[in-house]
Amino acid sequence: MSTGGEEALRLQYVVGDEIGRGRFGTVRRCHSAATGEAFAVKSTAKAPLLDPLDLALAEQEPKVHLLVSSPPCSRHVVALHAAFEDAHAVHLVLDLCAGGDLLSLLSARGGRLPEREAAGLAAQLAAALAACHRRGVAHRDVKPDNLLFDAAGALKLADFGSAEWFGDGRAMTGLVGTPYYVAPEVVAGREYGEKVDVWSAGVVLYVMLSGTVPFYGATAPEIFESVLRGNLRFPPRAFASVSPEAKDLMRRMLCKDVSRRFSADQVLRHPWIASRGGDAVAD
């Protein structure tokens, strides 16, 4: 990682308009001063990060993201191209994804997608997670907001601000993620592994096919209670046209028993993905 913060960043990149804003930072367009190639730069200020965990994750993000970005990098992971840090902020130069995110796509399409399209996106997400897991990295915040599209329409997994390295066999801990998408073992306060990402991807698939989340509540504690119960249902009104094969895959992804829950590689080999979405994966 380079030192020098924003001053060093601006020596190498021309920074343009803001294109996104998150809880702690902003995303702006930028391009290389040397080549003109377009990128995005995510800037996270350290001052608002009062929680030591938030600060630690912000400082760790470039190192973990670099692990999944080093060649050969999956086409379905947003790549990190450069990082700059000083006492005030962390700046990450990333792939520019000009096609919006999955949350916006779902909103524009009335909340749900046709089964073949959902299978293609699920395949690309599983490919991204499999690539991360092979590098020993768990994303820990898989959700539609963090699934972006490049100019060609390929899905890319973004925002490694909550990611953790488990490559030496260590178990992960900590309540990290987004309530609707977080796995039950995370909520329970137990040690957990990379299959938390598969649970979250299962929730994303459920949302794509039905327009609703499988575990819900009016408040975060109520959502967590629903996640812990893990009572997976397929209401007929929402799932009348969804195939039994798709429901089978979701049961295997949203399985409370981690030993029986699918891995990302197993998701890719499931017949529903192989028959409907396999051709969408490009690595």
Side-chain angles (χ1 to χ4, degrees):
M1 186 186 326
S2 300
T3 57
E6 188 160 1
E7 182 178 351
L9 166 70
R10 291 181 180 275
L11 287 174
Q12 298 181 44
Y13 296 90
V14 179
V15 180
D17 297 337
E18 180 179 312
I19 55 175
R21 181 176 288 270
R23 189 159 61 110
F24 296 123
T26 59
V27 180
R28 294 167 288 176
R29 292 181 185 271
C30 70
H31 64 266
S32 167
T35 68
E37 186 176 0
F39 298 99
V41 56
K42 174 185 175 182
S43 300
T44 303
K46 294 181 179 180
L49 305 179
L50 301 179
D51 186 326
L53 175 60
D54 289 333
L55 182 58
L57 288 172
E59 293 178 336
Q60 175 180 279
E61 181 179 1
K63 304 176 183 68
V64 175
H65 200 157
L66 186 61
L67 279 174
V68 298
S69 295
S70 56
C73 176
S74 169
R75 182 192 173 193
H76 299 296
V77 174
V78 170
L80 173 64
H81 297 275
F84 303 86
E85 181 180 11
D86 56 26
H88 307 291
V90 177
H91 306 278
L92 307 180
V93 178
L94 309 162
D95 286 341
L96 176 63
C97 294
D101 60 33
L102 179 58
L103 185 65
S104 300
L105 175 66
L106 288 169
S107 177
R109 300 281 289 279
R112 67 176 76 182
L113 302 176
E115 195 163 318
R116 180 168 291 277
E117 186 176 1
L121 295 176
Q124 294 175 73
L125 174 54
L129 293 175
C132 292
H133 296 169
R134 284 193 293 270
R135 301 277 177 96
V137 172
H139 186 278
R140 299 201 300 176
D141 197 18
V142 176
K143 58 183 178 180
D145 325 38
N146 288 337
L147 302 176
L148 310 183
F149 297 99
D150 65 14
L155 180 143
K156 287 178 176 277
L157 178 62
D159 194 348
F160 285 76
S162 297
E164 179 65 277
W165 185 65
F166 64 89
D168 60 355
R170 75 179 70 180
M172 294 173 282
T173 58
L175 182 55
V176 178
T178 300
Y180 287 121
Y181 298 88
V182 71
E185 61 267 31
V186 177
V187 178
R190 303 196 301 267
E191 293 183 339
Y192 52 84
E194 73 277 9
K195 285 186 178 180
V196 297
D197 288 341
V198 177
W199 175 282
S200 300
V203 177
V204 170
L205 177 55
Y206 189 104
V207 170
M208 287 195 290
L209 291 173
S210 70
T212 186
V213 292
F215 312 107
Y216 52 88
T219 64
E222 289 181 4
I223 297 168
F224 290 149
E225 287 178 13
S226 180
V227 169
L228 285 170
R229 286 194 298 270
N231 187 12
L232 181 62
R233 295 179 178 178
F234 299 108
R237 179 178 296 180
F239 285 92
S241 62
V242 175
S243 69
E245 293 83 2
K247 294 174 185 174
D248 178 74
L249 176 57
M250 285 183 280
R251 289 189 187 97
R252 295 174 187 274
M253 298 173 75
L254 295 168
C255 178
K256 283 184 66 179
D257 183 345
V258 180
S259 69
R260 294 173 53 236
R261 187 183 307 160
F262 265 14
S263 68
D265 279 319
Q266 286 176 306
V267 172
L268 285 168
R269 295 194 298 269
H270 189 274
W272 185 74
I273 291 290
S275 64
R276 292 173 172 82
D279 58 352
V281 177
D283 272 331

